[in-house]
Amino acid sequence: MRFQGETPSSSSSLRVERLSFRDSLALAANGPAPFAAIGYGTPERIDWMPPVDASVLSARGAVADVWHATGPAVRTGRTGLVRWRADEHWLLGAIDLDESVEKQGLAELAHRAYRDLFATLDQSGIAHPLRIWNYLPQINGDGGGLERYRQFNLGRQDAFLEAGRAAFEGAPAACALGIHRGALSVRFLAGRRAPLPIENPRQVSAYRYPSTYGPRAPTFSRAALADIGDDRCALFISGTASIVGHETVHRGDVREQTRETLRNLEAVVNAANAQGSARFSVSALDSVVYVRHPRDLEAVRGVLEDALGSDAPMVRGAVYLEADICRGDLLVEIEAHATAPGRRRD
């Protein structure tokens, strides 16, 4: 693994495509495995494709977001808890911690996970997280007097602060969802250049939430813009839900929550488009749609089709997963990414 201060020998660019599980496996069968992937509904055994352990509600079944890098050969390794794949410019890491095995609370496990995440970035020189995905069992459950999501936020932010990382302005794009089985799972994509954080003008920044949401605010920006080589830019949109200001709106109405979520996505995309020459649109995003109750799937899908059209890439390619949202009164959350020609503003 290359250490900070060394100079990479060549350039590398990233591209991403969403493929069925079968087509993803065919890539590796016909040549070297891709740089890395994140799988939805895929098995655990594939080293280059760490999974998200949530039930896939989409009719197409298991899929993967496959990342391709054009740089030097990919190396694999382990730093503490982190299993990683990296070239000299990009790194994708995965952490899984089973509470029943570790015998520690969620705050302690989140702290350990993020401590080793930052150690991996520091040692590799690929120092900047572009996007982080967090999945934890029973996210809305009681953790001994403090909701488990709030416990997670406590451990996560402590690790940010101890590592001297940006826990407020400049925090990475991220999501945190509740899964019904498995371990605390963290997946992250990192690069050598810091991304540009994007906020939503319709919402209070998550890291500025009042203390009514817990002793530590969630540590993430609403989105991030990152140059990914070949004069292209990636937009990573954090988990987005029916929140205006800092309050949940349309409680109990999944259709209106989906419409409000689309309005927030539009606001984030517009904010990103103002920060460089790349142009993005909601209809062209690659999205993951988290639905609390499987019975609401068709209602959510219907709102997206009515708003964007059934042929919109976001609608046709969406991955639907059963997951609990970080607040008990939220029924749906959407996170997304996209790439486009252009550069972000420095």
Side-chain angles (χ1 to χ4, degrees):
M1 204 171 192
R2 185 174 294 276
F3 287 84
Q4 196 155 8
E6 297 182 22
T7 302
S9 59
S10 61
S11 62
S12 177
S13 62
L14 275 181
R15 66 180 180 89
V16 61
E17 58 180 340
R18 179 163 290 173
L19 298 173
S20 69
F21 179 52
R22 181 178 179 178
D23 289 344
S24 300
L25 290 183
L27 292 175
N30 296 327
F35 169 68
I38 293 179
Y40 303 103
T42 57
E44 176 68 37
R45 69 180 187 274
I46 303 168
D47 291 340
W48 56 273
M49 189 188 296
V52 173
D53 196 6
S55 296
V56 178
L57 303 176
S58 320
R60 66 191 295 196
V63 298
D65 286 332
V66 181
W67 291 89
H68 303 272
T70 62
V74 176
R75 291 165 292 169
T76 63
R78 188 163 190 135
T79 302
L81 301 170
V82 181
R83 308 182 309 278
W84 50 260
R85 292 174 64 82
D87 66 8
E88 292 181 340
H89 300 264
W90 316 103
L91 182 148
L92 192 140
I95 303 168
D96 293 282
L97 279 170
D98 189 331
E99 292 172 72
S100 66
V101 174
E102 301 296 329
K103 308 300 184 185
Q104 287 184 302
L106 190 56
E108 291 81 5
L109 293 183
H111 183 269
R112 285 177 58 197
Y114 273 81
R115 178 200 63 198
D116 284 11
L117 185 159
F118 293 133
T120 301
L121 300 184
D122 289 342
Q123 291 176 27
S124 70
I126 307 171
H128 302 288
L130 308 180
R131 179 69 165 86
I132 303 177
W133 298 262
N134 304 282
Y135 301 94
L136 48 147
Q138 303 173 15
I139 193 171
N140 306 128
D142 177 31
L146 186 65
E147 184 191 46
R148 284 171 57 80
Y149 179 54
R150 298 181 182 194
Q151 288 186 330
F152 170 79
N153 285 333
L154 185 63
R156 171 171 60 171
Q157 192 175 105
D158 278 349
F160 268 80
L161 296 172
E162 288 176 15
R165 295 278 179 160
F168 303 97
E169 287 85 358
C175 62
L177 282 303
I179 52 178
H180 295 176
R181 58 182 182 266
L184 167 64
S185 300
V186 180
R187 315 287 185 241
F188 62 99
L189 179 67
R192 282 191 168 269
R193 186 184 181 197
L196 180 68
I198 303 294
E199 291 300 317
N200 181 351
R202 302 181 78 238
Q203 296 177 318
V204 173
S205 297
Y207 48 76
R208 297 299 183 198
Y209 279 176
S211 60
T212 51
Y213 295 99
R216 294 291 176 87
T219 305
F220 69 92
S221 295
R222 299 297 182 186
L225 276 172
D227 288 325
I228 55 171
D230 291 340
D231 292 318
R232 294 188 67 83
C233 196
L235 173 62
F236 298 98
I237 299 181
S238 301
T240 303
S242 182
I243 296 170
V244 177
H246 58 75
E247 297 180 340
T248 300
V249 294
H250 312 301
R251 289 178 174 83
D253 189 332
V254 70
R255 288 180 174 84
E256 283 305 316
Q257 285 200 10
T258 306
R259 294 184 184 103
E260 197 68 60
T261 300
L262 284 172
R263 286 189 279 271
N264 280 326
L265 288 172
E266 187 72 31
V268 169
V269 166
N270 289 340
N273 286 341
Q275 295 300 319
S277 59
R279 290 294 173 265
F280 303 95
S281 68
V282 172
S283 64
L285 297 173
D286 283 319
S287 63
V288 180
V289 183
Y290 300 98
V291 182
R292 182 181 291 273
H293 303 299
R295 66 176 182 267
D296 289 335
L297 173 64
E298 293 308 317
V300 172
R301 193 192 335 254
V303 171
L304 297 181
E305 290 180 350
D306 289 346
L308 303 173
S310 58
D311 289 332
M314 177 173 166
V315 175
R316 286 189 287 106
V319 177
Y320 292 87
L321 300 180
E322 180 183 4
D324 294 331
I325 319 303
C326 62
R327 297 184 188 181
D329 53 10
L330 289 171
L331 303 173
V332 61
E333 178 171 309
I334 300 175
E335 55 110 332
H337 63 262
T339 66
R343 289 183 174 273
R344 44 164 269 200
R345 183 174 298 162
D346 290 327

